[in-house]
Amino acid sequence: MRPFKYSNAADPAAAITAISVNADAKFLGGGTNLLDLMKEDVMHPSELVNITRLKYADIEKTSNGILIGGTATNAFTANHERVRKQYPLLTMAILAGASAQIRNMATNAGNLNQRTRCSYFYDVNMPCNKRTPGSGCGALKGLNRNHAIFGWSEKCVAVYPSDMAVALAALDAVVHVEAGNQEKRTIAFADFHRLPGSTPQIDNNLKHGELITSIELPENDFAAHSYYLKVRERSSYAFALVSVAAAMSLDGSRIRDIRIALGGVAHKPWRATAAEKLLVGKEATMANFKVAAAAELKNARPLEHNKYKVKMAGDAIVRALSNAMNGVGYGMNAGLEAGV
Amino acid sequence: MEDQPKFPDLTDAERRALEELLPDEMSEIITSGIKRRHFLKLITYTGTGLLATHLLGIEQLMARSTAVAPLPPTVIENGVNVSFQVNGSAQQLLVDSRMTLLDALRERMDLTGSKKGCDHGQCGACTVIVDGRRVLSCLTLAATCEDKEVTTIEGLADGDKLHPMQAAFIKHDGFQCGYCTPGQICSAVALMSEAKNGEASYVTSNVREAGRPMELSEEEIRERMSGNICRCGAYPNIVDAIREVHGDKAVAQVWQFADGTI
Ligand code: FES
Ligand code: FES
């Protein structure tokens, strides 16, 4: 690891100032991804500012939802009573990610800022436009079975690795950020992460020196019908090949409102708007779920080695929707119990 | 025999440190002469050699308690002074900002129970408990531990009395080579309080039912322990050990010695 300056931020303003004056400085949250990338020499900030002691670790109720602190840990968030009761989709998605140890360390803001796990990005001997702009994308014509089927460009076919973010995309979260001079702004979750386009080195629309103070979740009536399905190569502690966050509200058997987002398929959490549009106001039936999934996957552009993801994503959407509809409970057992 | 000059380059401080560090018969070697190069090698073997010795006062380097006043952080590049509790005793260290908690434990405090399996957050061998929660010490900077309470495998037993989880791992043969074991046990100990707090996992049947102590099925234990990899594949026995401690009742031991005794 290369040398870096370390400091503990006394307050948010000090943290933001320290980062703002040094283009190579980074906020340090749980460090579970950043330190790993520093050991691999993929990232080499000259300065780290520890923000885990700032007062952004709570979960508060607001007039129309909740505010989740940026420095609250993933474990704390997933197990907060209000989150479990009212946003079980978020709890499930967080608990589907990483391991208990990592969830105890990782912060919510850090989760949104984690980098892709594309192996070309991680290997400094390989070309990668995200790590070294202009060096080319090794995965485009290389080993790309874990890569994107939506929204990629010739410059980058990497996928975004977070599970938590997939649930946040489905739940229409809003990211609250603070910059110097106490300037505050909000970013709709759909606009937070970016597609790669011609600048894949930029993962999201946060500016240097902006600090994620909290993530807002608007109220919804999806709690009874939510499900996060994660498909991976071992049953735990692995990144998603494909994941689906599904949530709906029902009037009898009719779908009043619905949210579907996919993970593991694009450079950002992929909101399945085509499928959602087809399902609002329709009967919640397996037949309708299949039509919607097919409509969403019609626009998929698989690469040489990841054509399997198209079928996998379609099947995963149908299964996640049927589990959400049945409200059979949560966890891996739910799908098995429902026989889907 | 090589010509061994008597104490060629050893400073007084180095000699004192060596005498303190080594068993008596070893320090006798000194009287028959030792090369500086050899001394530095010994220092490396004892696990303190990762630091540039010329940058630090030798007493500070060897310090294992708080007795020594902290050096100003400028003595090493990007040095950070950090005070924290490890297994109940106060520690005060001057560390390079890059030093992980794992390296600080192993190389500076001689607590080599915590293991470095991957150094990348993929195996769990380095799991320790910080402020009551299990974390990966290989991805924790020592500098961030200011004021924290760290418990490692060395801090679990009460004197000669093993922690129930340690005893259960022995009873159920929850290891083969033992490399992953300190991490497994720390992880399992913290898991017990997570279950008591009613924390959910991905396989919990209804996460909306919050706040009750959890009874962990085998599937729950496996999911919750998935951050600890065991290359020897001792998983079934690890699960048995945890079930016994969690359920507070004896789980049958599945192995026996070749002569049929247990
Ligand atoms: S050594 Fe820390 S997870 Fe492997
Ligand atoms: S006992 Fe050998 S790695 Fe687990």
Side-chain angles (χ1 to χ4, degrees):
Chain A
M1 210 187 292
R2 300 191 194 198
F4 60 85
K5 216 176 110 192
Y6 172 87
S7 65
N8 243 320
D11 56 67
I16 292 165
T17 308
I19 299 292
S20 302
V21 298
N22 179 355
D24 287 329
K26 292 253 170 243
F27 294 118
L28 175 67
T32 55
N33 186 214
L34 180 57
L35 280 182
D36 190 25
L37 288 164
M38 287 165 69
K39 289 181 183 188
E40 297 281 8
D41 206 23
V42 174
M43 291 177 74
H44 17 74
S46 62
E47 180 176 356
L48 293 185
V49 179
N50 181 9
I51 53 169
T52 56
R53 287 159 198 258
L54 300 184
K55 303 248 167 296
Y56 292 126
D58 277 344
I59 294 181
E60 297 161 35
K61 193 168 160 30
T62 63
S63 53
N64 69 332
I66 59 170
L67 270 183
I68 296 170
T71 60
T73 65
N74 282 184
F76 174 80
T77 306
N79 275 299
H80 194 275
E81 190 169 346
R82 206 180 287 281
V83 176
R84 281 174 69 163
K85 290 215 156 94
Q86 287 165 19
Y87 305 91
L89 183 66
L90 180 60
T91 294
M92 285 191 75
I94 293 174
L95 295 178
S99 67
Q101 289 95 316
I102 292 174
R103 294 190 296 269
N104 278 335
M105 304 166 72
T107 63
N108 295 328
N111 191 307
L112 303 192
N113 275 303
Q114 67 179 304
R115 313 294 310 268
T116 182
R117 297 315 197 277
C118 171
S119 46
Y120 293 91
F121 175 69
Y122 254 78
D123 185 342
V124 293
N125 299 305
M126 290 287 173
C128 171
N129 286 323
K130 187 181 273 301
R131 177 174 27 80
T132 314
S135 61
C137 173
L140 180 66
K141 298 270 186 277
L143 298 172
N144 49 35
R145 65 185 299 277
N146 292 328
H147 292 73
I149 58 172
F150 288 114
W152 52 267
S153 71
E154 297 283 314
K155 300 273 191 233
C156 179
V157 296
V159 296
Y160 193 65
S162 164
D163 291 297
M164 179 186 188
V166 182
L168 293 176
L171 295 170
D172 288 321
V174 178
V175 182
H176 290 235
V177 308
E178 192 172 322
N181 303 323
Q182 298 190 344
E183 269 173 46
K184 297 182 171 124
R185 68 172 180 129
T186 58
I187 308 170
F189 205 76
D191 303 326
F192 185 81
H193 293 102
R194 307 170 65 252
L195 289 178
S198 55
T199 51
Q201 68 274 22
I202 308 171
D203 291 350
N204 59 50
N205 289 318
L206 210 56
K207 294 188 209 115
H208 184 75
E210 278 185 329
L211 177 70
I212 299 177
T213 53
S214 62
I215 300 159
E216 184 182 349
L217 287 180
E219 235 159 54
N220 65 52
D221 51 2
F222 300 138
H225 297 284
S226 305
Y227 197 85
Y228 187 76
L229 176 68
K230 184 171 182 184
V231 186
R232 43 190 157 172
E233 285 177 326
R234 58 183 185 198
S235 54
S236 188
Y237 201 15
F239 288 98
L241 296 171
V242 167
S243 67
V244 182
M248 62 181 86
S249 54
L250 296 171
D251 283 328
S253 60
R254 205 180 57 87
I255 298 170
R256 187 165 55 229
D257 202 359
I258 190 159
R259 299 282 185 278
I260 309 167
L262 308 180
V265 297
H267 197 262
K268 60 188 280 188
W270 192 258
R271 187 72 178 262
T273 43
E276 287 178 5
K277 274 203 194 92
L278 273 174
L279 287 170
V280 177
K282 298 275 168 53
E283 290 293 305
T285 62
M286 292 297 272
N288 282 340
F289 295 159
K290 281 181 187 159
V291 170
E296 188 65 44
L297 271 303
K298 205 179 69 207
N299 301 319
R301 287 188 301 145
L303 302 157
E304 190 184 350
H305 303 124
N306 69 4
K307 298 191 175 60
Y308 74 94
K309 278 195 182 183
V310 179
K311 177 162 170 32
M312 185 180 272
D315 291 351
I317 291 175
V318 173
R319 180 166 156 187
L321 287 174
S322 79
N323 283 355
M325 167 185 73
N326 289 330
V328 285
Y330 300 89
M332 288 201 312
N333 295 329
L336 305 174
E337 283 156 17
V340 288
Chain B
M1 276 293 280
E2 253 183 282
D3 211 22
Q4 300 252 7
K6 256 196 170 184
F7 305 119
D9 307 315
L10 291 189
T11 66
D12 279 356
E14 284 173 341
R15 230 181 90 194
R16 262 202 321 277
L18 183 60
E19 275 164 5
E20 255 169 45
L21 209 63
L22 296 176
D24 289 343
E25 63 274 25
M26 284 296 277
S27 52
E28 271 167 29
I29 298 172
I30 301 169
T31 56
S32 64
I34 188 168
K35 286 190 169 173
R36 186 187 171 86
R37 204 166 8 110
H38 187 203
F39 168 76
L40 291 176
K41 222 159 97 195
L42 283 173
I43 291 280
T44 310
Y45 289 149
T46 57
T48 42
L50 275 199
L51 289 158
T53 46
H54 61 280
L55 291 176
L56 275 175
I58 196 83
E59 291 86 355
Q60 173 74 9
L61 187 68
M62 302 301 170
R64 286 181 198 165
S65 69
T66 45
V68 185
L71 291 180
T74 47
V75 174
I76 57 174
E77 195 194 359
N78 299 315
V80 182
N81 270 310
V82 45
S83 337
F84 56 131
Q85 297 273 329
V86 178
N87 298 331
S89 77
Q91 296 285 340
Q92 191 155 22
L93 293 177
L94 170 63
V95 297
D96 184 308
S97 62
R98 294 170 291 182
M99 185 172 246
T100 61
L101 174 59
L102 177 62
D103 285 338
L105 290 168
R106 291 182 54 86
E107 313 294 345
R108 297 290 299 280
M109 290 170 238
D110 237 5
L111 294 170
T112 53
S114 308
K115 296 292 183 273
K116 187 183 282 191
C118 64
D119 210 21
H120 288 284
Q122 295 176 0
C123 75
C126 65
T127 303
V128 299
I129 301 170
V130 175
D131 288 349
R133 310 286 307 185
R134 45 178 165 164
V135 301
L136 299 177
S137 59
C138 75
L139 292 181
T140 301
L141 288 176
T144 63
C145 293
E146 180 71 21
D147 295 336
K148 304 221 165 168
E149 270 177 45
V150 181
T151 304
T152 69
I153 188 74
E154 291 91 342
L156 290 179
D158 180 5
D160 283 344
K161 201 167 158 278
L162 292 182
H163 186 281
M165 192 64 75
Q166 292 174 307
F169 265 67
I170 292 172
K171 172 178 169 191
H172 291 281
D173 208 14
F175 48 83
Q176 185 176 312
C177 75
Y179 197 80
C180 71
T181 314
Q184 299 276 7
I185 292 178
C186 285
S187 195
V189 166
L191 163 57
M192 296 298 95
S193 33
E194 290 166 16
K196 231 173 249 154
N197 295 343
E199 294 178 32
S201 85
Y202 185 60
V203 302
T204 299
S205 62
N206 187 352
V207 301
R208 294 187 73 199
E209 287 170 11
R212 291 198 242 125
M214 300 271 313
E215 269 214 28
L216 302 182
S217 62
E218 169 163 351
E219 186 190 21
E220 281 275 9
I221 292 173
R222 284 177 177 272
E223 161 61 24
R224 289 162 188 261
M225 289 296 292
S226 71
N228 292 84
I229 309 288
C230 175
R231 277 196 66 185
C232 300
Y235 299 113
N237 299 0
I238 293 171
V239 172
D240 281 351
I242 296 173
R243 275 177 54 214
E244 172 150 342
V245 177
H246 175 57
D248 215 8
K249 58 178 180 288
V251 171
Q253 178 177 312
V254 295
W255 62 275
Q256 55 183 26
F257 291 114
D259 66 1
T261 60
I262 56 171

